[in-house]
Amino acid sequence: QVQLVESGGGLVQPGGSLRLSCAAAGSIRSIAAMNWHRQAPGKQRELVATISSGGSRNYADSVKGRFTISRDNAKNTVDLQLNSLKPEDTAVYYCRARIQTTDLLYRDYWGQGTQVTVSS
């Protein structure tokens, strides 16, 4: 059994910053890619940022230069630093990780989501 637990969401003014964290726990053998997605009201869930096990990063065009994804392989965590936040960044943010469990199979796991609201 594997769980991803997110933290760090909240209410912030435009131009402000937040840091989201996601920790994976359970019967983990290894973790491949780790990702952050978001879903705004009435919109489809979108991929925001991804980081490979080796540290290669990719970002959605809408967040490039403002968001930074990082991971700690020893702690099985992935963070997302959100800077220069805009009202359109308001969404529920989800982490997702491709995890190899002790049965040697890879599966995708999702966190429960954390709300980010950008408003004055």
Side-chain angles (χ1 to χ4, degrees):
Q1 189 76 3
V2 173
Q3 284 189 320
L4 270 62
V5 179
E6 298 134 345
S7 60
L11 173 64
V12 63
Q13 291 186 339
S17 298
L18 281 174
R19 189 173 185 88
L20 308 182
S21 295
C22 174
S27 304
I28 297 170
R29 182 177 173 87
S30 66
I31 302 179
M34 303 185 83
N35 314 277
W36 285 95
H37 298 249
R38 68 184 180 187
Q39 187 166 19
K43 295 189 177 181
Q44 289 189 329
R45 191 173 297 187
E46 63 171 342
L47 178 62
V48 173
T50 185
I51 184 167
S52 71
S53 57
S56 297
R57 298 169 172 86
N58 282 289
Y59 299 94
D61 287 343
S62 59
V63 307
K64 278 181 183 176
R66 300 188 299 121
F67 291 7
T68 302
I69 189 171
S70 60
R71 65 188 283 173
D72 186 328
N73 290 333
K75 296 181 179 180
N76 291 335
T77 60
V78 59
D79 290 351
L80 187 68
Q81 178 67 39
L82 293 70
N83 296 330
S84 302
L85 281 161
K86 305 174 182 180
E88 51 263 43
D89 294 318
T90 295
V92 178
Y93 284 71
Y94 299 88
C95 67
R96 175 173 67 92
R98 188 149 185 86
I99 297 175
Q100 184 187 38
T101 46
T102 51
D103 60 2
L104 304 185
L105 296 178
Y106 278 96
R107 300 176 182 88
D108 283 335
Y109 294 87
W110 289 85
Q112 80 285 359
T114 186
Q115 177 71 47
V116 171
T117 302
V118 184
S119 175
S120 55

